[in-house]
Amino acid sequence: MTMLIGHDEAWRTWRAAMASGRMHHGWILAGREGLGKASFAQAAAAELVAEPGVPQPAPGKHPDILTLRPLPANDDEAKKRDDGKPYLTKRNISVDQVREVQRRLNTRPTLGSRRVVIIDCDEPLEKSAVNALLKSLEEPPQGTFFMLIVHALGRWLPTVRSRCTILRFHTLTDAEVARALDIAAPELDAQTRAAALAVAGGSPGAALAFAEKDLAKAQVIFTALIERGDADLALRGALAGALGARPDRERQMAAIEAARMTVVRALSQADDRARLRLVEAHARLVKLASEAPVYNFDVGMLLMEIGSLLASAAPTREGAR
């Protein structure tokens, strides 16, 4: 499986715990988004609930693996989900979803003696949902295990973290990300593949998401802006052509993230003199990413701002101001 590349250490830790006979009931899978934590959780849960001589259902169909994800944002998005199309979700898992799963935990597992609850959500749960979850983490039903997929561990309450074993997922090497790309998207042209690797930051999921947005030309411009600035505004003008006349919100957000990761990659190669400019540009891109979903920015102004932030980090007079 593509999204399980590069996680040998996580598998060793998980399987050692299974073999010990003292498997902890709560696990946090922590690491950057796009590393394959959700795929790992499904595969690891399948190993945990399987018992000798008991036929196991196809992946994703096991009655003793319960996965909680945010629901569709509204009825229209629910229809898209039912039709197998991409859909928008609510911001978080609701307390009602948690309680529904807890009601199911009052019954015995279907096929064996173990059951796994996977909680897969980009954001930490809201207070009411966390409080409901804590009751199960404190007194889990016999044979029940919890796996929480977490992108930013520090944002989760200490009361949750303290009740779980933390399994950390580290970013992959460029070679491992390249291998994941070649498996998942062998049709990529050389420019798109190179650009996806440049902004991946060790995350196969990030590389694939970037490749799907067709931002390779924009990433080439981002790199040029950081390397030599843009005294005549030509590169900033070219960004509009690279992204298209009316990029949707997802494409705009992907462009900001690609710009941010271009700065991150430059930071890894920068000397002390250039580092301060790059750190400042990174902080301002992070702020821009937080503001873009809230404010209805004019696309042209947004692209100009991205380009200006990158140009400000270049080792030129423009970057030195």
Side-chain angles (χ1 to χ4, degrees):
M1 296 174 65
T2 301
M3 300 305 286
L4 297 182
I5 290 173
H7 299 312
D8 293 344
E9 181 181 344
W11 277 118
R12 283 193 294 269
T13 300
W14 177 261
R15 286 168 176 157
M18 286 181 59
S20 71
R22 300 185 301 276
M23 189 78 168
H24 196 274
H25 70 273
W27 290 76
I28 288 177
L29 278 54
R32 187 189 166 192
E33 186 175 4
L35 294 179
K37 301 186 299 296
S39 297
F40 179 96
Q42 294 291 335
E47 287 193 3
L48 184 59
V49 300
E51 296 189 3
V54 179
Q56 298 298 297
K61 303 293 186 182
H62 204 295
D64 296 325
I65 300 175
L66 311 178
T67 303
L68 279 182
R69 298 186 181 94
L71 296 171
N74 51 48
D75 291 343
D76 289 340
E77 299 302 322
K79 187 176 187 306
K80 292 179 185 177
R81 178 199 61 185
D82 296 342
D83 292 340
K85 299 176 181 178
Y87 63 95
L88 298 176
T89 67
K90 295 181 178 179
R91 181 174 176 271
N92 223 316
I93 291 169
S94 70
V95 63
D96 290 338
Q97 288 177 269
V98 175
R99 288 172 176 162
E100 175 60 28
V101 164
Q102 288 173 326
R103 285 191 285 271
R104 293 185 62 178
L105 299 183
N106 290 327
T107 63
R108 294 176 57 84
T110 303
L111 298 181
S113 59
R114 292 174 170 176
R115 176 161 41 201
V116 178
V117 178
I118 298 172
I119 297 177
D120 185 359
C121 186
D122 292 347
E123 298 287 333
L125 303 187
E126 295 178 357
K127 185 176 180 180
S128 57
V130 168
N131 289 338
L133 176 63
L134 281 172
K135 294 179 181 179
S136 294
L137 289 175
E138 290 167 354
E139 299 180 8
Q142 185 174 359
T144 298
F145 300 84
F146 294 86
M147 301 175 74
L148 282 63
I149 298 168
V150 172
H151 304 324
L153 183 59
R155 296 176 61 191
W156 284 75
L157 292 175
T159 48
V160 175
R161 301 199 303 264
S162 65
R163 287 164 173 78
C164 297
T165 296
I166 298 174
L167 187 59
R168 297 186 183 275
F169 286 71
H170 304 289
T171 53
L172 277 59
T173 66
D174 284 352
E176 289 170 332
V177 176
R179 183 155 60 97
L181 270 180
D182 290 342
I183 294 171
E187 73 284 355
L188 292 180
D189 61 77
Q191 185 184 50
T192 300
R193 183 179 183 277
L197 288 174
V199 302
S203 166
L208 287 167
F210 174 88
E212 290 171 357
K213 294 293 187 296
D214 191 25
L215 292 170
K217 292 180 180 178
Q219 198 278 326
V220 170
I221 297 172
F222 292 158
T223 300
L225 283 162
I226 284 182
E227 290 179 349
R228 61 176 187 267
D230 189 27
D232 61 1
L233 303 183
L235 290 173
R236 274 168 277 195
L239 272 179
L243 265 76
R246 291 186 174 182
D248 60 23
R249 182 58 60 85
E250 286 189 8
R251 191 167 167 79
Q252 293 175 41
M253 294 303 298
I256 297 173
E257 175 63 9
R260 187 187 73 81
M261 289 307 301
T262 303
V263 174
V264 170
R265 195 170 187 89
L267 266 169
S268 68
Q269 304 164 0
D271 56 27
D272 291 341
R273 189 175 180 180
R275 188 171 294 274
L276 182 60
R277 294 193 301 271
L278 289 164
V279 168
E280 182 178 352
H282 182 270
R284 292 170 69 184
L285 283 165
V286 169
K287 182 181 179 183
L288 185 63
S290 68
E291 292 174 344
V294 179
Y295 302 106
N296 187 23
F297 289 123
D298 174 82
V299 174
M301 293 299 295
L302 177 65
L303 295 178
M304 183 62 71
E305 179 67 9
I306 294 171
S308 296
L309 290 176
L310 295 175
S312 72
T316 64
R317 286 185 178 179
E318 183 178 5
R321 284 204 297 266

